[in-house]
Amino acid sequence: MFTLSLKVQKKNGLHIRLAATFIITLQSLLKDKDAIKNSYVIYKDKKVQANNLLSLVSLKIEQGEEFLLTCADEIPPHVAKQIVELFEEKDVENVKETEADLIMMENSYILQEAFTKLPNGVVVVDRDNVITYVNDAAVKLLEKPPNELYNHKANIVIPQSRLHTIMKTGQPEFAQKQKINHYTILTNRSPLIFQDKVIGAVAVFQDISNVEKITKELKEVQELQQRLDLVLQSVSDLIALTNEKGEFIFINEEMHGMLIKNKKKKKIQSIIGDNLWKSLLKRPEPFMKIIQVNHQLTYITKINPIIFDEVFRGTVVTLSPLDEIKILLQKLELMEERTKYLERELSKHQKLNSAFSKIIGNSEVLLESLSMANKVSKTDSTVLITGESGTGKELVARAIHETSDRCEQSYIRVNCSAISPNLIESELFGHEKGAFTGAYKVHRGKFELADNGTIFLDEIGDLNLDLQVKLLRVLQEKEVDRVGGFEPVTINVRVIAATNRDLAKMIEEGKFREDLYYRLNVIPIHLPPLRSRKEDIPLLSEHFRVHFNQHLGKSINRFEQGLIEILSNYHWPGNIRELENIIERLFNLTDDDSLKVRDLPHYIYKEEMASATQNLDFLPASNILTLEEYERQIFTHACQFYPSYNQLSHALGITHKTAAKKIRKYGLEHLLGNKYQNT
Ligand SMILES: Nc1ncnc2c1ncn2[C@@H]1O[C@H](COP(=O)(O)OP(=O)(O)OP(=O)(O)O)[C@@H](O)[C@H]1O
């Protein structure tokens, strides 16, 4: 880098004419024409391009002051000498020239300053499209330092520049929008014409990024406003905005309708009253009030004050018709109820333990009983299962045991009606050696066998009164006395009892102990008869079809049309056991892969039965027998189809007692349930 120190001796310092002479001298002296582009004048803390006339003048170097000229390459000594002399030569005393220099200096300085301070960018090129001037705003927008702009071709350093085109056409261009860096810019371009010749061009550009942004924001606000209007117009509530005086500045259509109909004025005070408005002004807080606008219309009125910059600016008012809200609340309550109901129902299905899933049926009555059984299975409470014969009492008892914590221990079933009265005591409680003839060793009763587990006392209603007392003692003391024993044996047994008899009635008749009943009936579970849950019949039929296919090794895959309907219409006195047996019978009688209507017993196939009854086929045309004989025949026939007095009496429409009496009278006990088991 070559540096030459220069001192201005001229009276007006480095004035414009001297600066121009300096540039011309440099251009003529420096051999390399590009060298001047890399030459700078440094004065105090300022550095300007040596060939920029306006910049040189703006340095305001006065007489006697020094400055530096720097060049990239060395200047030969004779050239340096000429330059030094240019500034040191004495002024030829010419007052007019000196004054003219001063005026030019002043003007050029003003111009320079004005351009520099301009908020718009200015770029000037000469006739060769070389940049000769850029102001500060242009430097900022172009995001390039001045030395990368000055003395460079405009179309190279500013790719968007069209100044060369302007010079060619001689036509100015105005308000051309373009993007430079991240600025949005409006550009005016004009050719510079001197003596009818284009000597350069100027571009003036204005940064409109902010205007753009504001325009965009404005558009968004307008869009938002439109949307809001739409929302406010679409809601069924009445909505209004008021100013700080309570005057409506916006009302939606609903509100408009109401105000017109009720001849309300233009202020919210006409709806809420002056007092409420005054208290709102005192304490601008949201509030809600039920307001009756006329005799028919009552609204839930909500008022929200609008506070802006801590100043109360107005309110947002919404009015909702009370009746509609009431209806909505009612609907909500209904929905809540429904949800709760559905949750309850769902939990019944979900929570049933897998042991209960063997029990088929979806009817509400059954599921309720099973849900209860499932719940109590985890406790040790005594359970009394009631329900007609064949309704699944034993199945439920077993499921309770399998779900309980005792599931790993014994489950002992005792059918109290099946054991002969002389043996039942020893069966239940055991006996000591030698307690009676033939008792040559200790016999443990069912209670002892069920220790730590569960004992299921089926047909508890058939237990005689003496044993009821003993059972009561076991339940109370948790001890059993073996027959012939001296020491009671402590036991830990969970008791599940079941009966198909009406224990309450038996208590009345003195056949069942009330105290025992209450001991047993801690958790009552009632299993509904099949006829009261007929919706389960198809499901159960299908269940037994699959069951018998597996057990009998068959592949029967359908029910003949109408069969399920007939089954569903039958009243099933023997309940599910009877249905199970009927399906098994159909399995045995069919000769193909379907279960047939024709294989049903005639008492189920009603049509057949109906026609048989019409023809009275079962009565001979002559040789009428005695009524007693007919009765005997009827009981003989019925006994075979029903496994218990209860069912038989039910089928014949007589009491349990009468049925038992008649069966004993005709000695038919041995026939009871014979065919039933085999059908
Ligand atoms: N819901 C059910 N799903 C499937 N099978 C069932 C159902 N209920 C009962 N059963 C079947 O029906 C038959 C009779 O059931 P269970 O012995 O449990 O009835 P019960 O009420 O104890 O009868 P009883 O009073 O005559 O002793 C059994 O084979 C059992 O598996």
Side-chain angles (χ1 to χ4, degrees):
M1 172 75 65
F2 178 80
T3 307
L4 182 64
S5 177
L6 299 166
K7 187 172 190 179
V8 187
Q9 294 298 359
K10 304 283 184 187
K11 194 172 172 192
N12 283 338
L14 182 57
H15 56 74
I16 191 157
R17 195 158 44 82
L18 180 59
T21 316
F22 174 53
I23 293 170
I24 292 163
T25 310
L26 274 181
Q27 278 170 349
S28 64
L29 290 177
L30 296 177
K31 269 197 201 135
D32 177 2
K33 291 300 160 212
D34 276 348
I36 194 161
K37 288 183 190 168
N38 300 318
S39 303
Y40 294 90
V41 167
I42 302 170
Y43 169 68
K44 295 188 177 164
D45 56 349
K46 290 181 187 152
K47 181 180 178 182
V48 300
Q49 217 123 20
N51 68 345
N52 190 330
L53 183 64
L54 283 179
S55 302
L56 285 179
V57 175
S58 71
L59 292 173
K60 292 198 270 186
I61 303 172
E62 297 198 352
Q63 187 180 23
E65 285 188 321
E66 282 186 10
F67 65 94
L68 298 176
L69 172 68
T70 64
C71 298
D73 301 320
E74 191 165 342
I75 300 177
H78 70 281
V79 175
K81 188 168 169 261
Q82 280 188 51
I83 298 170
V84 171
E85 281 171 3
L86 177 70
F87 291 98
E88 288 187 350
E89 270 172 11
K90 281 268 170 157
D91 285 315
V92 182
E93 274 304 317
N94 182 335
V95 180
K96 279 196 180 156
E97 254 185 22
T98 313
E99 276 179 10
D101 283 348
L102 256 177
I103 291 171
M104 279 198 291
M105 262 273 306
E106 254 180 48
N107 280 341
S108 62
Y109 178 72
I110 288 167
L111 269 179
Q112 160 79 9
E113 282 301 291
F115 275 123
T116 308
K117 300 275 153 46
L118 218 57
N120 292 352
V122 178
V123 173
V124 182
V125 294
D126 63 13
R127 57 171 68 81
D128 298 324
N129 198 28
V130 170
I131 297 174
T132 56
Y133 180 78
V134 279
N135 71 351
D136 291 355
V139 166
K140 186 182 146 230
L141 293 172
L142 295 169
E143 291 181 351
K144 282 195 169 142
N147 63 334
E148 282 182 24
L149 295 166
Y150 273 111
N151 300 313
H152 290 84
K153 287 251 186 195
N155 54 332
I156 293 184
V157 288
I158 313 168
Q160 302 93 326
S161 170
R162 286 173 42 80
L163 290 177
H164 52 289
T165 320
I166 297 298
M167 284 191 286
K168 245 188 231 161
T169 60
Q171 294 302 315
E173 287 179 355
F174 298 108
Q176 300 290 308
K177 197 166 155 189
Q178 59 178 329
K179 267 259 171 293
I180 294 185
N181 301 319
H182 54 279
Y183 301 104
T184 308
I185 278 166
L186 272 191
T187 310
N188 292 337
R189 303 182 182 96
S190 305
L192 298 172
I193 298 170
F194 183 66
Q195 291 178 343
D196 294 337
K197 276 193 188 142
V198 176
I199 56 160
V202 59
V204 179
F205 32 83
Q206 187 186 357
D207 175 12
I208 56 160
S209 311
N210 277 343
V211 179
E212 276 261 295
K213 206 171 130 202
I214 290 168
T215 314
K216 205 170 147 221
E217 279 173 5
L218 202 67
K219 262 194 192 157
E220 279 172 9
V221 170
Q222 279 171 346
E223 217 178 290
L224 207 70
Q225 170 91 35
Q226 275 178 8
R227 278 197 208 146
L228 190 70
D229 274 358
L230 214 66
V231 171
L232 293 176
Q233 296 299 0
S234 320
V235 289
S236 58
D237 278 355
L238 293 76
I239 298 179
L241 301 180
T242 75
N243 63 13
E244 69 283 359
K245 292 181 201 146
E247 294 160 349
F248 294 120
I249 51 175
F250 169 87
I251 47 176
N252 69 353
E253 268 174 34
E254 299 285 328
M255 180 71 97
H256 179 73
M258 187 278 278
L259 290 175
I260 297 247
K261 219 191 272 167
N262 294 285
K263 297 193 183 88
K264 295 283 170 194
K265 301 279 157 39
K266 293 181 170 159
K267 286 184 160 193
I268 184 66
Q269 289 88 321
S270 64
I271 297 174
I272 62 168
D274 285 335
N275 289 343
L276 217 53
W277 179 254
K278 278 180 196 152
S279 56
L280 180 75
L281 292 183
K282 261 191 217 154
R283 283 185 66 193
E285 279 171 5
F287 75 83
M288 201 165 96
K289 205 166 167 39
I290 293 178
I291 291 176
Q292 191 167 8
V293 173
N294 64 27
H295 292 308
Q296 289 139 14
L297 286 174
T298 306
Y299 292 98
I300 297 183
T301 308
K302 283 187 222 153
I303 301 209
N304 278 301
I306 305 169
I307 311 285
F308 202 67
D309 281 345
E310 295 182 15
V311 179
F312 175 72
R313 296 293 175 95
T315 61
V316 179
V317 184
T318 55
L319 269 63
S320 319
L322 187 62
D323 287 348
E324 278 179 27
I325 304 257
K326 263 192 200 160
I327 292 169
L328 280 178
L329 281 176
Q330 277 166 1
K331 275 193 185 161
L332 198 72
E333 271 173 21
L334 198 70
M335 296 305 285
E336 267 180 16
E337 281 297 313
R338 273 194 196 151
T339 315
K340 274 189 202 154
Y341 168 76
L342 288 175
E343 274 172 2
R344 271 200 312 269
E345 289 300 296
L346 195 67
S347 72
K348 272 185 208 168
H349 288 266
Q350 280 175 345
K351 285 184 200 147
L352 283 186
N353 191 283
S354 63
F356 285 93
S357 61
K358 291 179 205 153
I359 304 170
I360 310 298
N362 259 341
S363 55
E364 171 105 350
V365 273
L366 177 73
L367 288 179
E368 255 167 35
S369 302
L370 295 187
S371 165
M372 175 64 136
N374 185 47
K375 258 189 233 161
V376 300
S377 59
K378 289 285 170 204
T379 68
D380 266 346
S381 309
T382 304
V383 178
L384 178 63
I385 307 173
T386 55
E388 290 178 13
S389 180
T391 45
K393 297 187 289 296
E394 148 97 75
L395 215 56
V396 171
R398 189 170 274 281
I400 293 177
H401 170 72
E402 281 171 16
T403 314
S404 75
D405 295 339
R406 297 169 180 261
C407 62
E408 299 290 317
Q409 308 293 329
S410 338
Y411 166 83
I412 304 290
R413 176 180 178 237
V414 185
N415 186 343
C416 304
S417 70
I419 308 170
S420 90
N422 338 337
L423 291 181
I424 188 145
E425 184 175 0
S426 124
E427 271 300 301
L428 285 178
F429 310 122
H431 58 78
E432 286 294 339
K433 235 194 273 183
F436 44 79
T437 333
Y440 59 93
K441 62 175 186 179
V442 173
H443 171 73
R444 282 173 219 289
K446 302 280 194 226
F447 270 96
E448 275 186 75
L449 294 179
D451 196 18
N452 294 318
T454 307
I455 191 164
F456 174 50
L457 302 173
D458 203 0
E459 312 288 1
I460 191 84
D462 291 357
L463 210 60
N464 69 40
L465 282 167
D466 288 346
L467 280 172
Q468 287 178 26
V469 179
K470 293 195 171 159
L471 176 60
L472 184 65
R473 193 180 118 66
V474 175
L475 294 178
Q476 277 168 345
E477 312 296 333
K478 305 208 183 314
E479 290 174 345
V480 286
D481 295 312
R482 288 184 192 144
V483 179
F486 304 104
E487 286 288 308
V489 181
T490 308
I491 45 145
N492 168 15
V493 171
R494 193 224 186 131
V495 176
I496 302 177
T499 182
N500 52 24
R501 300 179 67 174
D502 184 350
L503 291 187
K505 200 165 161 225
M506 287 181 73
I507 293 169
E508 271 175 30
E509 290 166 357
K511 291 179 182 157
F512 203 83
R513 290 187 66 101
E514 196 172 3
D515 42 9
L516 176 62
Y517 174 74
Y518 288 115
R519 272 278 159 195
L520 293 172
N521 198 30
V522 179
I523 310 278
I525 292 173
H526 178 70
L527 292 180
L530 188 53
R531 65 182 164 281
S532 72
R533 51 183 178 110
K534 288 196 164 172
E535 63 268 43
D536 286 344
I537 291 174
L539 211 63
L540 282 159
S541 307
E542 175 59 15
H543 165 75
F544 290 127
R545 185 188 68 78
V546 174
H547 170 83
F548 286 121
N549 267 334
Q550 277 169 7
H551 283 73
L552 305 176
K554 296 202 173 188
S555 39
I556 290 188
N557 51 33
R558 60 195 183 85
F559 295 88
E560 192 187 18
Q561 203 181 355
L563 176 59
I564 294 288
E565 206 184 339
I566 294 171
L567 295 179
S568 300
N569 286 333
Y570 181 56
H571 65 290
W572 299 108
N575 291 295
I576 297 136
R577 181 182 292 113
E578 188 180 0
L579 174 64
E580 188 179 0
N581 289 341
I582 291 297
I583 302 281
E584 189 176 3
R585 168 197 168 111
L586 297 182
F587 256 78
N588 289 326
L589 294 180
T590 187
D591 43 16
D592 60 16
D593 64 346
S594 70
L595 300 179
K596 305 246 170 9
V597 173
R598 64 150 200 248
D599 295 333
L600 285 170
H602 72 277
Y603 59 86
I604 292 185
Y605 191 22
K606 284 198 173 146
E607 267 179 31
E608 261 186 23
M609 213 168 79
S611 62
T613 316
Q614 267 172 16
N615 297 337
L616 297 175
D617 276 352
F618 68 99
L619 286 181
S622 57
N623 199 10
I624 299 287
L625 304 174
T626 61
L627 196 58
E628 195 172 30
E629 182 51 28
Y630 280 124
E631 190 178 73
R632 195 189 60 75
Q633 281 189 18
I634 288 169
F635 275 95
T636 311
H637 180 75
C639 268
Q640 301 176 56
F641 286 97
Y642 297 100
S644 69
Y645 294 150
N646 214 23
Q647 282 174 41
L648 185 136
S649 57
H650 198 270
L652 295 181
I654 52 178
T655 64
H656 181 274
K657 201 172 161 187
T658 313
K661 203 169 103 194
K662 299 278 180 186
I663 287 168
R664 266 199 301 277
K665 175 177 168 192
Y666 298 119
L668 301 171
E669 290 98 328
H670 63 286
L671 289 180
L672 210 57
N674 248 3
K675 277 210 179 148
Y676 177 76
Q677 299 296 341
N678 304 324
T679 25

